[in-house]
Amino acid sequence: MSTHADNSAPDDRPKSRVKPHQLAIGLGVGVALFTIVSGILPQITDWHNDNAVHRVVLVNNTGTLQVALYTVIPVMIVWGSIAFAHRMKKRER
Protein backbone atom coordinates (compact mmCIF):
# COMPACT_ATOMS: atom_id res chain seq x y z
CA MET A 1 0.00 0.00 0.00
CA SER A 2 1.06 3.48 -0.79
CA THR A 3 0.85 6.35 1.66
CA HIS A 4 0.36 8.90 -1.14
CA ALA A 5 -3.10 9.89 -2.31
CA ASP A 6 -3.98 9.17 -5.92
CA ASN A 7 -4.23 12.58 -7.63
CA SER A 8 -4.56 11.23 -11.15
CA ALA A 9 -8.32 11.88 -11.33
CA PRO A 10 -9.46 13.69 -14.48
CA ASP A 11 -10.02 17.41 -14.27
CA ASP A 12 -13.78 18.00 -14.00
CA ARG A 13 -13.61 21.73 -14.68
CA PRO A 14 -15.35 22.80 -17.88
CA LYS A 15 -13.11 24.13 -20.61
CA SER A 16 -13.08 27.88 -20.96
CA ARG A 17 -15.29 29.19 -23.74
CA VAL A 18 -15.80 32.50 -25.43
CA LYS A 19 -18.11 34.77 -23.46
CA PRO A 20 -20.56 37.21 -25.09
CA HIS A 21 -18.67 40.30 -23.96
CA GLN A 22 -15.53 38.92 -25.60
CA LEU A 23 -17.47 38.51 -28.84
CA ALA A 24 -18.47 42.17 -28.67
CA ILE A 25 -14.84 43.23 -28.35
CA GLY A 26 -13.83 40.91 -31.19
CA LEU A 27 -16.54 42.31 -33.45
CA GLY A 28 -15.48 45.88 -32.65
CA VAL A 29 -11.84 45.13 -33.40
CA GLY A 30 -12.84 43.46 -36.67
CA VAL A 31 -14.89 46.46 -37.78
CA ALA A 32 -12.04 48.78 -36.78
CA LEU A 33 -9.53 46.78 -38.82
CA PHE A 34 -11.86 46.83 -41.82
CA THR A 35 -12.19 50.61 -41.45
CA ILE A 36 -8.43 51.06 -41.35
CA VAL A 37 -7.88 48.88 -44.40
CA SER A 38 -10.70 50.44 -46.43
CA GLY A 39 -9.54 53.98 -45.59
CA ILE A 40 -5.78 53.81 -45.86
CA LEU A 41 -5.26 51.12 -48.50
CA PRO A 42 -6.74 53.22 -51.35
CA GLN A 43 -4.35 56.04 -50.42
CA ILE A 44 -1.37 53.71 -50.63
CA THR A 45 -2.39 51.94 -53.84
CA ASP A 46 -3.84 55.05 -55.58
CA TRP A 47 -7.22 53.51 -56.29
CA HIS A 48 -9.34 56.04 -58.18
CA ASN A 49 -12.71 55.92 -59.88
CA ASP A 50 -12.56 57.06 -63.50
CA ASN A 51 -16.31 56.96 -64.16
CA ALA A 52 -18.03 60.08 -65.52
CA VAL A 53 -20.47 60.15 -62.60
CA HIS A 54 -19.04 59.37 -59.19
CA ARG A 55 -18.87 60.70 -55.68
CA VAL A 56 -15.58 62.23 -54.61
CA VAL A 57 -14.74 61.32 -51.03
CA LEU A 58 -12.95 63.83 -48.78
CA VAL A 59 -12.41 66.52 -51.40
CA ASN A 60 -9.56 69.01 -50.85
CA ASN A 61 -8.16 67.21 -47.80
CA THR A 62 -4.54 66.26 -47.47
CA GLY A 63 -3.41 62.68 -47.11
CA THR A 64 -2.32 63.30 -43.53
CA LEU A 65 -5.80 64.48 -42.60
CA GLN A 66 -7.29 61.35 -44.15
CA VAL A 67 -4.81 59.15 -42.29
CA ALA A 68 -5.71 60.95 -39.05
CA LEU A 69 -9.41 60.43 -39.74
CA TYR A 70 -9.01 56.76 -40.54
CA THR A 71 -6.98 56.15 -37.40
CA VAL A 72 -9.13 58.10 -34.94
CA ILE A 73 -12.40 56.52 -36.13
CA PRO A 74 -11.20 52.91 -35.56
CA VAL A 75 -9.90 53.84 -32.12
CA MET A 76 -13.35 55.18 -31.27
CA ILE A 77 -14.98 52.01 -32.63
CA VAL A 78 -12.75 49.82 -30.44
CA TRP A 79 -13.40 52.06 -27.42
CA GLY A 80 -17.15 51.80 -28.03
CA SER A 81 -16.98 48.02 -28.28
CA ILE A 82 -15.01 47.80 -25.03
CA ALA A 83 -17.52 50.08 -23.27
CA PHE A 84 -20.37 47.95 -24.62
CA ALA A 85 -18.55 44.79 -23.47
CA HIS A 86 -18.29 46.19 -19.93
CA ARG A 87 -22.03 46.80 -19.99
CA MET A 88 -22.61 43.26 -21.23
CA LYS A 89 -20.36 41.88 -18.50
CA LYS A 90 -22.48 43.64 -15.86
CA ARG A 91 -25.64 42.11 -17.36
CA GLU A 92 -24.04 38.63 -17.32
CA ARG A 93 -23.71 38.73 -13.55
Side-chain angles (χ1 to χ4, degrees):
M1 273 207 333
S2 174
T3 58
H4 299 292
D6 186 20
N7 291 335
S8 63
D11 194 9
D12 291 335
R13 290 182 288 164
K15 294 182 179 179
S16 63
R17 59 180 189 177
V18 178
K19 296 183 175 101
H21 70 274
Q22 294 169 338
L23 288 175
I25 293 173
L27 181 65
V29 168
V31 170
L33 287 175
F34 178 76
T35 304
I36 290 171
V37 169
S38 67
I40 295 177
L41 191 64
Q43 294 297 320
I44 295 170
T45 59
D46 288 330
W47 287 350
H48 297 290
N49 189 355
D50 295 331
N51 295 340
V53 178
H54 65 279
R55 188 186 94 181
V56 181
V57 181
L58 297 173
V59 179
N60 297 330
N61 287 325
T62 63
T64 55
L65 184 61
Q66 290 178 6
V67 169
L69 175 76
Y70 283 111
T71 54
V72 169
I73 296 298
V75 168
M76 297 302 290
I77 291 171
V78 170
W79 176 79
S81 69
I82 290 172
F84 183 68
H86 284 296
R87 188 174 185 104
M88 287 177 69
K89 193 187 276 188
K90 286 181 182 179
R91 294 285 286 172
E92 288 174 5
R93 284 191 247 158

